[in-house]
Amino acid sequence: MRLTQPLPSFLASSLAHEQPQCLLRGTSPVASGMNFFLELWKTKGRIMSMIAAYYKNKSILITGATGFMGKVLMEKLLRTSPDLKVIYILMRPKAGQTLPQRMLQILSSKLFEKVKEVCPNMHEKIRPIYADLGQSDLAISKEDMQELLSCTNIIFHCAATVRFDEPLRHAVQLNVTATQQLLLMASQMPKLEVFVHISTAFSNCNLKHIDEVIYPCQVEPKKIIDSMQWLDDAIVDEITPKLIGDRPNTYTYTKALGEVVVQQESENLNIAIIRPSIVGATWQEPFPVSPAPGPQAGLHVDLLLAQTSSCPSSFSSHEMLDKGVLLAGVSLGWVDNLNGPSGLIIAAGKGLLRSVKAAPMAVADLIPVDTVVNLTLAVGWYTAVHRPQSTLIYHCTSGNLNPCNWGKMGLQIMASFEKIPYEKPFRRPNADFTTNTFTNQYWKAVSHWAPAIMYDLYLQLTGRKPRFTKLMNRLSKTLSMLEYFVNHSWEWSTSNTDMLMLELSPEDQRVFNFDIRQLNWLDYIENYVLGIKKYLLKEDMSGIPKARQQLKKLRNIHYFFNTALFLITWRLLIARSQMARNVWLFIVSFCYKFLSYFRASSTLKA
Ligand SMILES: CCCCCCCCCCCCCCCCCCCCCCCCCC(=O)SCCNC(=O)CCNC(=O)[C@H](O)C(C)(C)COP(=O)(O)OP(=O)(O)OC[C@H]1O[C@@H](n2cnc3c(N)ncnc32)[C@H](O)[C@@H]1OP(=O)(O)O
Ligand SMILES: NC(=O)C1=CN([C@@H]2O[C@H](COP(=O)(O)OP(=O)(O)OC[C@H]3O[C@@H](n4cnc5c(N)ncnc54)[C@H](OP(=O)(O)O)[C@@H]3O)[C@@H](O)[C@H]2O)C=CC1
């Protein structure tokens, strides 16, 4: 019996870890080896995750673990590989909290609730280490550095500045120099098995079609790093537009430089790069989907299944929402910052955002954060075990496999507000996309600025602090920064990501699922809107019926206001213009004639 096909790589990798305990006597080595493979396939392949097993007893270094993606990465690692040795977190103190206090706050958040069940001693697995990526030597103490160099097996580098308006000097320090420093550290780690660098799918957004390769930058990153040492701020600001060229901001530019640095320094290292697109709320984990029973069972708004007498199990989730009851402890769409679409969804839900300049047919390349994290962990495992000859780049995008455009997404966001209204809205949510710059400016003036100015005037007159024009300023700035991404479409090739999917065992494909084709956009967006309400706005679900009433009230005010405005304008016109008077007389006489004719014909019929 001969093996004609190469072994699936998850089997090959499992063999690298597991030696056969005994071979069957009397069988040829190949046949008994085959039996072993089959047994292993049947047992391990089905019930054990090779990826989770890989992280057992490993010392893992994570940067950016206090950020959106980093928290989800840490959660998944602890939940699926509770036997890992230690997670070193490079972090800085913030908002008056020391490192342990900050870490404690993160670990006691709702996101980590499930981890407590499988890894009750998770606090002991985490070792926060003071580091500031904004400083050229990362400010790590000698003792900590010694420990990191001698113990680390795996590095996940997530830290970055993701602000689009970051001054170039700071963006270079965070996204380029710090990456270079970390690579230098990595090259001195004898036990290092893999370095995973998180970049962005938009690092080459100046191109339309982007392959899984590193594109060269016009100016060498090393030259940029050097020049930042001696150029003063004014000159850096002046040359920034020239350096970033046709990229929209310093963020995408410095992430591209960061990739080149990774490539240049990767000679003796086992490295992979992941490029996610727009990272959104969680989709499947850690909060599971709980479809409500009843006619709308497919509706995944994570609402209650409280089997109480007041909530018969035949209620649909929509009805549950109507009653304002929430499924205890279970929720979806976890998100904890205003980046990407989240801030704009809030602004639209609160009725502040009414018009966005966007191409409705452009692809909205959103990717759930848990999908990105699953791919990241799978890449870590694959790169460590298979040691590819060159640095592989993995696109983590949705557009090519399961596209959704901004038009469809916008409509679903607006529809979700009907079901899941946010509390205390400024106005009734009624946002729209415009493609024309002039129309967009008009709507911004009429629907953003005019109401904000009027409302602030009202606040001032009633002795309160005006705040809406300030808010509008911030919204305008945010829109101007994000509009680039909703007016362009990109194509990302995903050959490496597709290849990796095939390399996973069925169990790993389930536990570390990054198959975006399974995502239902309508459910996902609804859960996203709900997650924002619960985790970002921290609004109570029991307030939903009241919020609905508020929306009705706002709708009536809107109709009343529009009718009154029309009548006043018309009255003024009639008073001042002969033409308006003539039009008015014409309409009145036309209506009168029509009514007379109608009355006469009905009398004749009778
Ligand atoms: C057809 C019909 C249609 C129907 C129509 C329907 C219409 C429907 C419409 C509905 C929705 C529309 C959908 C379209 C979406 C498009 C999205 C495109 C995304 C593309 C992303 C591309 C991603 C590329 C991917 C990547 O690779 S990168 C990752 C993404 N990167 C970013 O997304 C950063 C961007 N942002 C910034 O660059 C900075 O934010 C900046 C903006 C400069 C402001 O900057 P600034 O004004 O300074 O404001 P902040 O400092 O940010 O904060 C300001 C204040 O909020 C506070 N605050 C910050 N947090 C929090 C927090 N948690 N909790 C509480 N507070 C917070 C902070 O404390 C401060 O308060 P304060 O202290 O002042 O009191
Ligand atoms: N979110 C998105 O849409 C996308 C993100 N990405 C990439 O994913 C990665 C993670 O992004 P995300 O989690 O969203 O970003 P966040 O802004 O949420 O997190 C950034 C992390 O970097 C840390 N950090 C920033 N500056 C420093 C510093 N000077 N010293 C130490 N740590 C620092 C932050 O720490 P602190 O909490 O102390 O500020 C935080 O932990 C980034 O590399 C980003 O480029 C790629 C595509 C899309």
Side-chain angles (χ1 to χ4, degrees), residues 201-216 244 246-248 252 256 259 275 395 484 488-492:
F202 297 96
S203 53
N204 300 292
C205 60
N206 50 328
L207 306 175
K208 181 130 184 54
H209 178 91
I210 301 156
D211 282 318
E212 290 167 307
V213 297
I214 294 172
Y215 294 90
I244 67 174
D246 43 9
R247 286 188 179 82
T252 49
E259 288 182 4
R275 288 185 184 150
H395 282 158
Y484 173 88
H488 292 85
S489 280
W490 291 268
E491 282 165 22
W492 287 278

Side-chain angles (χ1 to χ4, degrees), residues 538-555:
K538 305 216 182 325
E539 292 179 3
D540 196 347
M541 298 302 148
S542 60
I544 286 180
K546 198 174 154 207
R548 285 233 186 89
Q549 290 298 326
Q550 226 165 353
L551 280 193
K552 260 191 206 153
K553 212 166 106 187
L554 285 173
R555 188 172 293 136

Side-chain angles (χ1 to χ4, degrees), residues 447-517:
S447 286
H448 289 179
W449 286 103
I453 292 168
M454 272 158 58
Y455 206 76
D456 270 357
L457 209 67
Y458 165 74
L459 287 177
Q460 259 173 328
L461 289 175
T462 50
R464 282 173 286 174
K465 205 174 157 216
R467 59 199 174 96
F468 283 95
T469 34
K470 198 175 156 207
L471 215 61
M472 248 348 134
N473 261 323
R474 180 161 285 153
L475 183 62
S476 297
K477 182 177 169 190
T478 305
L479 280 174
S480 68
M481 298 272 166
L482 299 188
E483 269 170 3
Y484 173 88
F485 298 94
V486 278
N487 283 287
H488 292 85
S489 280
W490 291 268
E491 282 165 22
W492 287 278
S493 63
T494 53
S495 326
N496 290 338
T497 310
D498 299 343
M499 172 280 292
L500 183 60
M501 189 119 56
L502 296 175
E503 291 288 326
L504 300 195
S505 68
E507 180 63 1
D508 278 332
Q509 285 181 359
R510 189 184 67 77
V511 181
F512 296 91
N513 179 20
F514 52 87
D515 186 355
I516 197 67
R517 287 168 300 187

